[in-house]
Amino acid sequence: MGRRDTEEGQLPAPVKPPDGGWGWIVLFGCFVITGFSYAFPKAVSVYFKELMKDFHVGYSDTAWISSIMLAMLYGTGPICSIMVNQFGCRPVMLIGGLLASAGMILASFTTNIIELYLTAGVLTGLGMALNFQPSLIMLGTYFDKRRPLANGLAAAGSPVFLSSLSPLGQVLLEKFGWRGGFLIMGGLLLNCCTCGAVMRPLDMGMKRKTEKAQDKYEAKEMLPIGGKSEEGISTTDGTKKVKKVKKKPKKGKKLLDFSIFSNRGFIIYTISKFILVLGLFVPPILLVNYAKDTGVPDTEAAFLLSIIGFIDIFARPACGMVAGLKWVRPHVAYLFSFAMLFNGLTDICSARASNYTGLVIFCVFFGISYGMVGALQFEVLMAIVGSQKFSSAIGLVLLIEAFAVLIGPPSAGRLVDALKNYEVIFYLAGSEVALSALFLAMATYCCLNRGKKKEPPPEKNPTTGGGSDTEEAESDMQEAEEHSSDNHQPAHSTDNAMVAASEEANHVAEEQSGEGGRCPEGDGEVLARDGCNADQTVERDRF
C-alpha cells in the first residue's frame, strides 16, 4: 500500500517518548513519590520512643512498623504490576495515595500496637507501593534519550525527603504529639494523589485509532474483488466453503508477563540484585550504633547519616548525567557493576575505622557509591527488558528483593548480638555487594555479549512476546493477506468463489474482463498485495 493516512488503512506509528514537555511534570511527580516511598518508613522512627511509652512495648516491637512498610513496598510488586496492566498507572496511583493517607490518619486513633501494624504498616505501605511502581513505569514511558538523567533526578527524592521529613516529624512530635503528627503526615501523603493525577497516559487515543484502521483494512481484504461488496461469501456447491476472513479476537494484555524469565539479561540482573540487597542496607542501619560503640557522642553519631544523605542528593543526578552519555549508555550495566563494586570496597576498607574522622570519610564515599547504585538500578532494568515489559519486570524484581531485605539486615543484627563485633558485619556486607558486582559484570560479558556475536541475524518479524497492539494488528493483516491469496488461487476453488460472489462483485468482474483483464483501478493497491496476475485473469475469462 502507498503512504496514506490512517483512514486509508495504514496503521499509525507508535508514539515516541517526548523526552521533555509534560514529561518534566511526570518527573517531578516521580521525585515526590520516590521520596515518600523510601524516606517515610525511616522518618516515622522519630515517633518510636513516644509509642513505646504509650503502648508499653519495646523498641523491636515499634521497629516492626517500618519493617512492615518496607515489606509491603517490596513484596506487593506483582500485585502492583497486575493492577497497572489491568487499569493503568493513573487510577492505581490515585487509589494508592488515598490508601497511604487513610492508613496514617487511622493510625492516629489506634489504641494498641497491633492496630498500628495494620494501619500505618499494612495500609500505608500498600498505598506507597501502589504509587512507587507506576511512577517508575510512567517515567520510562515519557523519557528515552534522557532516561538515565530522569532516573537519577527521580531517585534524588529519597535523600531529599529523608533529610526533610525526619526534622519535620520531630517538630510535629514536640507540638502535637505522635497522634497529631500521624494525622498531619497522613495529610501530606495526599500529595501522592496529586502526583498520580499528573501521570497522563502518553498513548491516549492511540488504541482506538489502531483498531479503527485495522478493521477498515481487514474489511477490504475480506472482499474477493475490489473491496466494494459488503455481502458475505456464501457456500458453493454444497461440499466446500470458501475461506472467510474474520476479525481475529484481540488478545488481552497479560496481567503479569512471566515470559521475561526467558530473557537471560533479566535473570542475571535479578540474581545480582538479590545478592546486592543482602548487604547494601546493612552499613547505614548499623552505622550509628557502631559509632556509639567506638566512643562517638550521640549527636555526632546521628550526624553521620546526614552526611550520607547530603552526598547522596548530588551523587544520583550526577551519575544519571554520566549514564546518559553516548559512549557510556550502551555499557550502563558495567557502570552499575562499578558502582556496586565501589560500594562493596568502601564497606570493606572502612571496617577498621576506629575514630570519627575515619567514619566521616566512610560516609562520604558510601554516599557517593550508594547514590550511584540508586540512580542506576532501575535504568539498567529498563534497558534490559524495555518499556513494554517493565511493569511486570519491576514487580517480580521487587518481590525477590523483599526476601533479601527480610534476610540481610535481621541476620546482620543477630550476628552483632552473637559476636559483639561490627568489623565482621562490615566485611560480610561489603563482600556480598562486591560479589554481586563481579557476577553482573562477568555474566553480562560472557553470557550476553558473546551470545550476541554467535547468534544469527534476527528475522524480519521476530516474535519477542511483547504483545503490543501494533504488532497484533500487523500479524492480523498478514494473516488476512494469506487468506485472501488463497481465495484467488486458480482451479475449481476460484470458479466456485466467483459463482458464489455477490451481484456487485460479478459486475466488477465483467468490467474487468471487458478491459482486457486489468485489475480495478479503484482498489488496485489492495489487489496488488494479493497478487492479481495474468493466470487469474485467464481463469476469469474462461468463466
Side-chain angles (χ1 to χ4, degrees):
M1 295 178 63
R3 291 181 176 272
R4 297 191 179 183
D5 57 3
T6 305
E7 294 182 355
E8 291 294 330
Q10 184 177 2
L11 291 174
V15 179
K16 294 182 180 179
D19 281 305
W22 189 259
W24 297 117
I25 306 298
V26 174
L27 173 59
F28 179 76
C30 189
F31 174 88
V32 175
I33 294 297
T34 304
F36 275 124
S37 300
Y38 279 115
F40 201 84
K42 303 172 186 176
V44 296
S45 61
V46 300
Y47 300 100
F48 285 175
K49 287 187 177 180
E50 293 297 322
L51 294 175
M52 292 167 60
K53 293 179 181 178
D54 285 5
F55 295 143
H56 306 289
V57 294
Y59 179 81
S60 60
D61 296 323
T62 55
W64 270 104
I65 300 174
S66 298
S67 300
I68 293 173
M69 283 186 182
L70 290 174
M72 295 298 294
L73 180 65
Y74 285 96
T76 57
I79 298 176
C80 297
S81 297
I82 292 174
M83 294 184 66
V84 167
N85 290 333
Q86 182 70 19
F87 306 107
C89 292
R90 180 188 285 176
V92 173
M93 292 184 67
L94 292 174
I95 294 174
L98 292 176
L99 289 177
S101 176
M104 292 303 296
I105 293 174
L106 292 175
S108 64
F109 298 99
T110 55
T111 57
N112 56 66
I113 195 68
I114 303 298
E115 294 177 356
L116 269 179
Y117 293 160
L118 296 176
T119 53
V122 175
L123 201 58
T124 300
L126 178 60
M128 290 190 297
L130 294 178
N131 275 273
F132 175 63
Q133 187 171 321
S135 67
L136 293 177
I137 296 171
M138 291 299 299
L139 190 67
T141 303
Y142 271 85
F143 289 91
D144 183 21
K145 295 180 180 180
R146 296 177 178 174
R147 193 178 63 200
L149 175 62
N151 277 317
L153 291 172
S158 175
V160 170
F161 271 66
L162 181 60
S163 59
S164 57
L165 285 180
S166 296
L168 176 63
Q170 189 66 39
V171 172
L172 295 177
L173 178 63
E174 293 174 357
K175 291 188 175 182
F176 304 103
W178 70 267
R179 294 186 183 274
F182 275 21
L183 190 63
I184 296 174
M185 285 287 194
L188 289 176
L189 286 175
L190 283 175
N191 288 292
C192 295
C193 295
T194 306
C195 296
V198 304
M199 300 295 175
R200 184 173 61 196
L202 187 61
D203 56 348
M204 183 178 293
M206 196 64 189
K207 293 183 179 179
R208 294 181 180 177
K209 295 180 181 179
T210 304
E211 292 173 1
K212 184 178 179 181
Q214 179 182 349
D215 293 343
K216 200 158 192 175
Y217 184 85
E218 289 180 349
K220 289 183 177 182
E221 294 287 13
M222 288 168 61
L223 299 179
I225 299 176
K228 294 183 179 180
S229 175
E230 296 181 357
E231 298 180 5
I233 299 176
S234 59
T235 59
T236 57
D237 55 355
T239 59
K240 192 173 182 179
K241 295 182 180 179
V242 179
K243 293 182 180 179
K244 183 178 179 182
V245 181
K246 296 181 180 180
K247 183 180 177 182
K248 194 176 181 181
K250 186 180 176 183
K251 297 178 182 178
K253 190 173 183 181
K254 295 181 180 179
L255 297 181
L256 195 60
D257 191 358
F258 289 97
S259 65
I260 55 177
F261 283 106
S262 61
N263 188 336
R264 288 182 296 178
F266 177 75
I267 297 296
I268 293 171
Y269 176 87
T270 303
I271 297 174
S272 175
K273 198 70 187 298
F274 179 83
I275 302 173
L276 170 69
V277 175
L278 287 175
L280 181 65
F281 301 119
V282 172
I285 291 176
L286 301 179
L287 178 62
V288 175
N289 290 333
Y290 178 41
K292 291 179 180 179
D293 288 352
T294 57
V296 177
D298 293 352
T299 54
E300 295 181 0
F303 184 70
L304 293 174
L305 292 179
S306 301
I307 296 175
I308 294 178
F310 181 78
I311 299 296
D312 195 5
I313 291 174
F314 299 97
R316 298 193 183 210
C319 184
M321 295 178 62
V322 173
L325 299 176
K326 293 182 179 180
W327 56 276
V328 176
R329 191 171 183 182
H331 311 288
V332 67
Y334 296 107
L335 180 61
F336 186 45
S337 300
F338 171 76
M340 292 190 294
L341 183 62
F342 185 17
N343 186 272
L345 294 178
T346 301
D347 295 341
I348 294 173
C349 295
S350 303
R352 289 177 172 264
S354 56
N355 53 44
Y356 189 71
T357 303
L359 290 175
V360 169
I361 296 174
F362 161 74
C363 290
V364 171
F365 284 98
F366 185 86
I368 296 173
S369 59
Y370 189 79
M372 293 176 65
V373 172
L376 295 173
Q377 55 179 345
F378 297 118
E379 168 61 26
V380 174
L381 181 59
M382 289 181 186
I384 291 174
V385 302
S387 59
Q388 290 182 353
K389 296 186 178 183
F390 182 71
S391 60
S392 297
I394 189 176
L396 295 171
V397 167
L398 290 177
L399 176 62
I400 294 172
E401 286 184 20
F403 293 101
V405 168
L406 295 176
I407 293 174
S411 300
R414 291 183 180 181
L415 287 176
V416 169
D417 294 337
L419 302 177
K420 305 296 182 181
N421 187 351
Y422 286 92
E423 290 184 18
V424 178
I425 306 304
F426 275 76
Y427 282 131
L428 182 61
S431 301
E432 290 170 343
V433 176
L435 176 63
S436 66
L438 296 176
F439 174 79
L440 178 61
M442 295 176 64
T444 301
Y445 177 77
C446 297
C447 299
L448 299 183
N449 291 354
R450 288 188 175 183
K452 290 180 181 178
K453 296 178 181 179
K454 295 180 181 180
E455 288 178 358
E459 300 177 359
K460 293 182 180 179
N461 294 323
T463 4
T464 56
S468 64
D469 296 334
T470 307
E471 292 172 351
E472 292 175 6
E474 290 176 354
S475 64
D476 291 344
M477 289 190 295
Q478 185 177 0
E479 290 185 6
E481 292 174 13
E482 295 174 358
H483 288 301
S484 181
S485 61
D486 292 339
N487 291 337
H488 288 84
Q489 292 295 330
H492 65 281
S493 61
T494 306
D495 297 336
N496 293 335
M498 297 300 298
V499 172
S502 64
E503 294 179 0
E504 189 174 353
N506 289 334
H507 178 67
V508 175
E510 291 175 3
E511 291 180 356
Q512 177 190 0
S513 60
E515 294 174 357
R518 291 184 296 105
C519 294
E521 295 179 358
D523 298 286
E525 286 180 292
V526 177
L527 289 176
R529 296 173 62 93
D530 295 337
C532 179
N533 51 36
D535 295 337
Q536 293 170 345
T537 306
V538 172
E539 291 293 333
R540 295 191 184 105
D541 291 340
R542 289 178 184 174
F543 171 75

